[in-house]
Structure formats: C-alpha cells, structure tokens
Amino acid sequence: MTTIHNLGFPRIGAQRELKFALESYWKGASPLGALEALGAQLRQRHWQQQAGLDLVPVGDFSFYDQVLDTSFLLGHLPQRVQGLPGDALDNYFRVARGRSAPAAEGAGGPAAGVAAGEMTKWFDTNYHYIVPEFTAATTFRLDASRLLAQLAEAKAQGVPAKPVIIGPVTYLSIGKSKDGSSRLALLERLLPAYAELLELLAAQGVEWVQIDEPVLVTELDAQWQHAFNTAYHHLKTARVKILLATYFGQLQDNAYLAANLPVAGLHVDAVNDRAGVLPLLNLLPAHKVLSLGVINGRNIWKTDLAAVLDWVEPLAQRLGDRLWLAPSCSLLHVPVDLASERQMDAEVRSWLAFALQKLEELRVLGRALREGRGAVAAELQANQAALAARRASRRVHNPAVQAAVQGITARQGQRASGYAQRAPRQAAVLDLPAYPTTTIGSFPQTAEIRQARSDYKAGRLDEAGYQALMRAEIERSVREQERLGLDVLVHGEAERNDMVEYFGEQLEGYAFSQFGWVQSYGSRCVKPPILFGDVRRPRAMTVDWIAYAQALTTKPMKGMLTGPVTLLNWSFVRDDQPRAASCRQLALAIREEVLDLERAGVKVIQIDEAALREGLPLRRSQWADYLGWAVESFRIAANGVRDETQIHTHMCYSEFNDIIASIADMDADVITIETARSDMELLDAFESFDYPNQIGPGVYDIHSPNIPAQDRMVQLMKKAAERVPAERLWVNPDCGLKTRQWAEVIPALGNMVAAARALRAQA
C-alpha cells in the first residue's frame, strides 16, 4: 500500500486570516490570546483539509517563519533579546521585526525596539526567513513546548501526525557567523538538542518525524558532507523513524550520501529530479522508504496524472509499501484553494491546481495505485481533458511575439557608450549633490488608497473619481519628498497594487487570481500573477502617472518599472516552454515602456530586479546558463536609451556577493541594495571586486517599524565608503516603503536626508 503524505501546508489562511491577526496584535488592537486562538483555528482547519492523507504534517504552522521557529525551538536567541519582558512570542517578534506589540514594549521592553534579525531568501524561493546568528559561544537549549502543544492538538483531533522540523545541518548552513567562527564547529553542541527532541516525540507516541534537509540539493564540500554522517549517526538511536526530506533540486553528487544515511526514509523532489530517481533506487538500502515528490509544490498548473502513473506504477510494483507519494516540497509556496476563485478567467482557471487541489491530485494517485486506474477513471479523464484544452488554446501562443524574440540582436542589449562616458553626461543633466538621496519607489499604501482601489474595482467609484484620488496621493508623496529635501523623487506608486501584479494586469499573456495569496515573510503576502501565454504590451503602462508626477516638481522624477527577471520569478510561470523564452518576451515589453518614458522626458528610470538572485540555480554548475539569459533580458529592457538617461536597478534581501560580476555586467548606472540589516556585510564583495558604477547601499531597514537614527545611517555610509568611492555612493532605504506608515516614514527619511547632509559637510 503506497503511503500518501504532505510535507507542509500554507499557514496564512485562505483569506489571509493570519496576516490580519498578526497586524492587529502588533498594533495593540487585539490581545495575544486572540492571536493564539486564531492560530489554533487555522491549524484545526488545515488538518481537516488534509483528511484522507496517511500522514499529515504538524509543526509546519508558524506565526512568522519556520526558521525562526527552529531558533526558538533550540533555545537559540540573540543576546539582544534575552531577558526582556513579555510573552515568549514578544521576543520572537522582536527578532523577526524589531519589536512586538505596544503593550509588551510599554512594560519594560525597549521602546525604540531592537535590531531585527537579518532576512534573506529561503533557497531559490520568494519566501524570506530570519537568518540564525552564530558565534563561537553559541549554545543550544531545547524548548519544545510549542511543537509539543501543537502535537497534542493534532492528536486530540485524530490527526495522523508527522512532526516536521528543519534538520541540524541545514539549520547551520543557512545561518551566519557573526564573529567569523565556524558554524560546523557548533554541530557537536547542537545534536544533543535534536536527540532530546526526538525522544520527547517518541514519548508522545510519534512514529515518523520529517526532518527537512534541503541543503542536500546544493553543492557540499567534504566537511559539510561529513557533517551529515556525523549528525544522523548521532540521531540513529532515536525511538522514532526519520524521513529525511530534500527538495527544490537534484541530489546529484549527494545521492549516495543521502541514500545511505541511517534514517528510515528519504524524500526526493521528483519534479526537479525525476531523472535521478532510478539511479537512486540502486543506491537505496532494501529496507528504506522512498518518498517521491510528484506534485509540483511551487507552481499552480495541474499535474499530468496519467503521465505520473505511467512511471510510478512500475516503481510501486518494485517497492511495494516502501513507496510514498507527496508534493515535491511544502505547499507553503502556492495559494490555498482554487475554489475561492469565482472571478478568475474560467479557461485559465480550468488549467490550475492550488494547495487543496494538489492534495486531491495526490489522493487520486494514491487511490489509482491501490485500487487501479479504473477506480479513478472519471478523475483521470477530466484531468486529461483540461491538459488538452490548455495545449490547444489559441490564447497561449502569439506568432508575432515569438518572431520578435527570434529577432533579438546583440545590439539591443548594449548602451551607446560605456559608463565612463555616460556618467558625466548624466551628471550635467541631473545636477545632483554628493551622496544624493532617493527612495526605492513606493510610499505608504494607506487605508484610503486601498479603499479607493476596492471601490473602483467594485464599481462604486468611477474612473474619473479614482484618477483624482490617485493623483492627490501622488501629489502628497511629491510634496512630502520636497519638504524633506530628497534629491531624486518618486511618484509613490499609489495606483499600484503590487510591483508585479500591476504590470501583469496590463500585459497580454497574464491572468490573475482574487485570493491567490502566498506568504513572502511574516504578515507580508503576495498574489503572484499567472503567466500562461506569450507576453505582449498593448499600450503604455506607467507613462501618464510618471509624467503627471514630474509636472509637479522641478526635481528629477524616477520612472518606476519592474524588470523582466523579477516579473518572471515572482509569477507563476507557464511550464510548456523554457523560462528563458518567457523572460525575453517580458524584456521586450519592458523595453517598449522604458523608451516611452524617455520620450516623455523622464531622465531617471529604475528597473527593479529584486528577484534576480533568487532565480539562481542552487548548484553553481548551473549558474552560467541562468545568469546569461537573465542579465541579457535586463540589458534588452534597459539599454535602448540615450547616454543622458540614467538607469537604476534595485535588489533586495539576497546574498549576491558571489554574482557581483554578473550584476556589474547588467551595466545599470546606479544599483540600490539592502545592507541595513546585514550591517553593510553585503558590501564585502567590493573589497575584491572593483564595481564600476554607482551604488546605493540601503541604510534604512523598512521591514521593521523602528526609526533609524541619523548617526547610525552616517556610520553605515562611512562603512560603505571604505569599499566604494564616496563620489559613487547614494543614500536610500533598502526597499520600498509601501508597508510602512507615514508616521514612521517621515521621521526616518528626515534622518536619512540629515545623514546625507552631514556626510557632505564632512567630505
């Protein structure tokens, strides 16, 4: 009998219930008890929705981030939050975002907040985690109270529970040493906490524990490979069965290691590594379970169930009850329920599967293997009909777009002159001071903005009324920036719902959901558009708004665009052609918008590529191909302008020191990056790489409500000037200000402008 199970479920709720409960608690509008109760309700609902699976994950729910949960599970708290008052969740939120609820901070807590933990991307996804902080003195002390409480809830509800935890080697590998000490040296201290946890779970009657070790799909040197053997030989005496879960890529040279670790089962991502499954079988001991991730946990297209059965059925005959089936990874990365989408394009909707639909696909596969295909003949027939309809749809293919991509030339990716020739021409046009100040694009999306957008979509507000309200918000943003003394302004993006969705709504080849929310970090959720067909720009998308904003001021106004790589990586992308082909289509569309902005008199154009790094394959051997077409796509989008037009780009919350040469090859005149949370560590690459163009290292961490002090920003910029010549430095926040409040933004930007003036005075 094939076991069917799940690796993880979306935690935010089908209607983003967790988001709103968190934000209410953080504002002090609701008590901690209400947040805890909402968490329990969501867990119960999600377990019920997974009914029928043989094993259901427990411990995958989180109030902010599963890596931060692991840090608290292991008693691994940064020194700066130890000993502070409040509930354990208050310290948890202090690490996550710098502060907790006002009541906690008013009861002896740090009124100004503490430094939030550094945040970066979870492998190659758009999910952000809080980076564990290690020193040579780091110790661990197990605190399993929350996990055990959730396990007790699940058992009381009759859930066939499989606790889920992040493995010790992955936990160390994704953390950061704060003093240069070896992370691996901590493994000996860490393993007793894991052993203690497994014994506690065994005492609760747990049979299987899922330990996630996705770092196994990356390139590991001999020390890290040895760490796996050390860790799991230490844990092999535990009275539970361990399912070691890998995902997001291929095992490749780690296959022998993974197959022979002393664990009871191994999960592999058979969507990404189907070719590796048969060779793995020859390495896997005869007693060991093999769990295959056959449903894509990161995209939303229906699975070809017949094709999966064609290759899984022989494996089932060979392995018997040693074969398990699951999604490729946690379903955290997809929306909850397609059934909520009553306003979506019906044709596109028929091609999709969200989390609940993916679990139903899994149940169909399990039943087919147990009872034969005849038992699910109707489901298989409906599945094949939907796949055939998608392949035949005329909306998917546009010959004109395909011809345009085929006609791309090398010249389209080249500026007329090199940076050394462009820079003085741009300086003459813009006339900016030293340490010029700017922001990344968005300003607070107030309740009034959101209400106007909702009324407009619902037909309660006409086009003229909506335009008037948005123009008023744009003018407010411009006037505030003028009053603060910023040098290069932005229009604030009041009219934009999301930096990807806004553009996707105006491009052919995209479709949209109403409730397709996915967690990005904490309470921040995004609704990725669905790139289902060839992409074309029917008309200008931003020109009128930017031209209006520029007419309000004599200062330079940045045109704000999302770049082709980010549009690709932050969408659910069609799987019927190479991603590179879709990216080049997007590049041509954005290129048309860039040229229209330039013709409208816009002298500074920012093309955000926030997601460039996250699309990087997990193995270095595959980097060159991705970076080749990704950088080419940016250059196609950006490089049709005159020398006098200044091109900016922005990247956030990514470790990109190892791809700095490719970033330089993008040839943007100015790049802005996140460095506030990392204390300028992300600029270490510039000690060995002579970055040729201008750079704005973010000095204002916008993902925290804390207001940075002027002195702190001056200090950060001086650190930056040790690596990059001061004449090429800009001063800016590390990301857009959409999620902040005006009451936070104005004093923070005021301090930032004052910091820039102080730096000029000291120059």
Side-chain angles (χ1 to χ4, degrees):
M1 295 287 287
T2 300
T3 294
I4 60 171
H5 69 113
N6 189 22
L7 273 65
F9 195 82
R11 58 182 71 123
I12 58 173
Q15 305 296 322
R16 293 181 292 163
E17 295 93 327
L18 181 58
K19 167 189 173 64
F20 300 119
L22 283 168
E23 292 173 356
S24 179
Y25 175 66
W26 292 336
K27 293 174 184 175
S30 61
L32 178 61
L35 177 62
E36 294 271 25
L38 187 275
Q41 292 168 14
L42 287 174
R43 290 191 293 271
Q44 180 178 11
R45 181 198 308 167
H46 297 162
W47 290 330
Q48 290 172 345
Q49 290 171 326
Q50 296 173 83
L53 300 182
D54 297 309
L55 289 171
V56 173
V58 171
D60 55 332
F61 178 85
S62 174
F63 279 120
Y64 201 96
D65 162 48
Q66 71 267 18
V67 178
L68 183 59
D69 289 354
T70 305
S71 294
F72 275 71
L73 171 73
L74 298 170
H76 176 208
L77 281 65
Q79 184 67 37
R80 62 185 176 277
V81 301
Q82 294 183 21
L84 294 179
D87 184 271
L89 266 180
D90 292 315
N91 270 347
Y92 178 87
F93 291 134
R94 287 171 182 136
V95 179
R97 57 190 299 272
R99 63 176 65 198
S100 186
E105 307 306 2
V114 299
E118 186 177 344
M119 188 161 60
T120 195
K121 301 293 179 71
W122 176 244
F123 291 84
D124 60 347
T125 75
N126 186 32
Y127 177 82
H128 303 64
Y129 71 92
I130 302 297
V131 179
E133 302 172 19
F134 302 121
T135 69
T138 293
T139 58
F140 304 95
R141 184 180 62 189
L142 183 70
D143 178 2
S145 55
R146 285 201 168 267
L147 178 59
L148 293 176
Q150 291 182 25
L151 179 62
E153 288 177 24
K155 290 174 63 177
Q157 295 165 30
V159 175
K162 169 169 56 75
V164 176
I165 57 176
I166 294 173
V169 183
T170 291
Y171 181 72
L172 290 175
S173 74
I174 63 174
K176 179 173 285 187
S177 172
K178 304 300 285 187
D179 61 359
S181 60
S182 168
R183 290 166 290 160
L184 272 180
L186 299 173
L187 184 62
E188 185 178 350
R189 297 180 207 168
L190 178 60
L191 290 176
Y194 274 86
E196 182 184 355
L197 174 62
L198 294 181
E199 285 304 310
L200 285 175
L201 294 175
Q204 297 301 313
V206 169
E207 180 181 8
W208 282 93
V209 176
Q210 176 185 317
I211 302 185
D212 288 358
E213 293 280 14
V215 75
L216 269 168
V217 304
T218 68
E219 289 156 337
L220 300 175
D221 63 24
Q223 284 186 312
W224 285 95
Q225 288 182 332
H226 179 67
F228 270 101
N229 278 312
T230 300
Y232 287 93
H233 277 87
H234 184 94
L235 301 177
K236 68 181 181 181
T237 58
R239 294 179 298 123
V240 294
K241 297 176 182 177
I242 294 174
L243 177 70
L244 190 73
T246 70
Y247 41 79
F248 298 152
Q250 306 89 35
L251 287 171
Q252 294 187 16
D253 51 334
N254 296 324
Y256 181 87
L257 170 66
N260 288 282
L261 289 173
V263 295
L266 176 65
H267 172 86
V268 296
D269 182 342
V271 172
N272 275 301
D273 194 18
R274 177 173 167 180
V277 171
L278 287 179
L280 183 66
L281 280 177
N282 297 324
L283 301 172
L284 201 70
H287 66 276
K288 194 169 292 188
V289 161
L290 178 62
S291 170
L292 296 180
V294 295
I295 305 291
N296 194 331
R298 290 182 56 178
N299 214 330
I300 43 72
W301 307 104
K302 284 185 174 176
T303 304
D304 188 336
L305 298 179
V308 171
L309 287 171
D310 286 343
W311 74 275
V312 167
E313 284 170 338
L315 297 178
Q317 293 175 2
R318 178 175 173 179
L319 296 174
D321 59 8
R322 291 171 53 214
L323 177 67
W324 291 16
L325 295 185
S328 59
C329 61
S330 170
L331 297 176
L332 172 70
H333 309 286
V334 295
V336 176
D337 188 6
L338 186 64
S340 302
E341 300 298 335
R342 298 181 179 88
Q343 298 181 19
M344 185 186 290
D345 179 294
E347 183 180 18
V348 175
R349 184 182 183 276
S350 70
W351 305 336
L352 307 181
F354 289 177
L356 292 181
Q357 289 70 43
K358 289 177 182 295
L359 292 180
E360 186 55 36
E361 289 181 332
L362 191 61
R363 294 183 185 101
V364 170
L365 290 172
R367 190 176 173 200
L369 291 176
R370 293 168 178 173
E371 304 174 33
R373 296 196 193 195
V376 289
E379 291 90 337
L380 293 177
Q381 184 178 8
N383 174 260
Q384 290 301 304
L387 297 173
R390 180 184 168 202
R391 286 191 294 265
S393 175
R394 294 183 178 180
R395 298 173 61 192
V396 173
H397 305 290
N398 184 324
V401 172
Q402 295 170 6
V405 170
Q406 290 298 317
I408 290 174
T409 66
R411 186 173 181 179
Q412 286 174 284
Q414 301 293 330
R415 292 290 290 267
S417 305
Y419 172 76
Q421 291 74 45
R422 301 193 308 263
R425 295 170 186 169
Q426 294 166 13
V429 169
L430 298 175
D431 191 26
L432 298 174
Y435 294 103
T437 56
T438 190
T439 62
I440 303 305
S442 59
F443 273 99
Q445 290 263 322
T446 63
E448 293 78 12
I449 291 174
R450 293 193 296 271
Q451 186 62 52
R453 185 177 297 119
S454 176
D455 289 345
Y456 177 56
K457 287 187 174 182
R460 295 185 295 268
L461 181 65
D462 62 16
E463 176 75 23
Y466 177 74
Q467 292 264 345
L469 286 171
M470 293 302 103
R471 285 175 178 251
E473 286 291 342
I474 289 170
E475 182 167 10
R476 174 187 183 181
S477 293
V478 171
R479 298 300 174 228
E480 290 288 2
Q481 291 171 86
E482 288 182 323
R483 187 181 63 79
L484 288 163
L486 287 155
D487 299 307
V488 174
L489 311 190
V490 298
H491 78 295
E493 303 181 14
E495 80 288 359
R496 302 186 188 183
N497 44 12
D498 175 82
M499 66 180 291
V500 175
E501 187 174 12
Y502 174 80
F503 290 95
E505 286 176 339
Q506 300 180 77
L507 294 169
E508 291 181 1
Y510 269 102
F512 301 88
S513 64
Q514 186 179 8
F515 300 107
W517 297 101
V518 177
Q519 186 180 27
S520 179
Y521 64 87
S523 69
R524 171 68 171 154
C525 301
V526 295
K527 189 151 56 72
I530 300 161
L531 199 168
F532 70 86
D534 290 335
V535 176
R536 187 178 76 89
R537 187 196 77 142
R539 63 191 66 85
M541 300 179 287
T542 68
V543 175
D544 288 347
W545 296 111
I546 303 298
Y548 170 73
Q550 182 63 84
L552 296 172
T553 183
T554 58
K555 290 193 171 186
M557 178 65 59
K558 275 197 292 190
M560 299 300 307
L561 303 173
T562 302
V565 184
T566 298
L567 286 169
L568 183 88
N569 286 336
W570 286 357
S571 297
F572 291 122
V573 181
R574 58 190 293 190
D575 57 358
D576 61 338
Q577 71 176 15
R579 291 173 68 87
S582 294
C583 199
R584 291 185 179 102
Q585 293 178 5
L586 288 162
L588 290 175
I590 298 302
R591 180 184 179 90
E592 292 175 5
E593 189 72 14
V594 169
L595 295 176
D596 276 351
L597 284 169
E598 185 182 57
R599 281 189 283 268
V602 179
K603 299 177 177 62
V604 182
I605 302 172
Q606 180 171 310
I607 308 171
D608 287 338
E609 286 295 14
L612 178 77
R613 178 61 172 80
E614 87 181 36
L616 197 66
L618 297 178
R619 290 181 172 271
R620 286 179 179 267
S621 59
Q622 300 167 354
W623 284 11
D625 177 64
Y626 167 77
L627 289 170
W629 59 257
V631 171
E632 175 201 23
S633 295
F634 177 85
R635 292 175 67 107
I636 290 168
N639 286 350
V641 296
R642 298 188 301 270
D643 287 350
E644 291 78 9
T645 299
Q646 190 174 78
I647 296 293
H648 291 222
T649 191
H650 171 68
M651 299 174 190
C652 60
Y653 289 98
S654 292
E655 296 283 354
F656 51 76
N657 290 355
D658 45 10
I659 60 167
I660 191 65
S662 294
I663 292 173
D665 194 41
M666 293 167 68
D667 199 25
D669 297 300
V670 182
I671 177 174
T672 52
I673 59 175
E674 180 280 326
T675 51
R677 281 202 181 193
S678 65
D679 197 33
M680 293 287 162
E681 287 181 12
L682 288 180
L683 291 183
D684 288 348
F686 296 91
E687 294 179 351
S688 57
F689 183 87
D690 185 14
Y691 187 77
N693 302 4
Q694 298 172 60
I695 184 166
V699 294
Y700 167 14
D701 173 17
I702 68 87
H703 294 84
S704 169
N706 296 343
I707 297 170
Q710 174 185 331
D711 290 348
R712 171 62 175 163
M713 290 191 264
V714 169
Q715 179 188 19
L716 288 172
M717 289 304 300
K718 286 182 175 179
K719 276 191 173 186
E722 295 172 0
R723 299 166 172 88
V724 178
E727 62 269 17
R728 290 200 266 119
L729 286 173
W730 287 60
V731 183
N732 47 262
D734 60 16
C735 205
L737 299 164
K738 174 182 178 179
T739 60
R740 300 267 56 91
Q741 306 295 317
W742 278 108
E744 302 161 352
V745 166
I746 290 175
L749 290 182
N751 289 349
M752 189 185 84
V753 171
R757 289 172 176 162
L759 289 163
R760 291 167 197 156
Q762 296 168 17

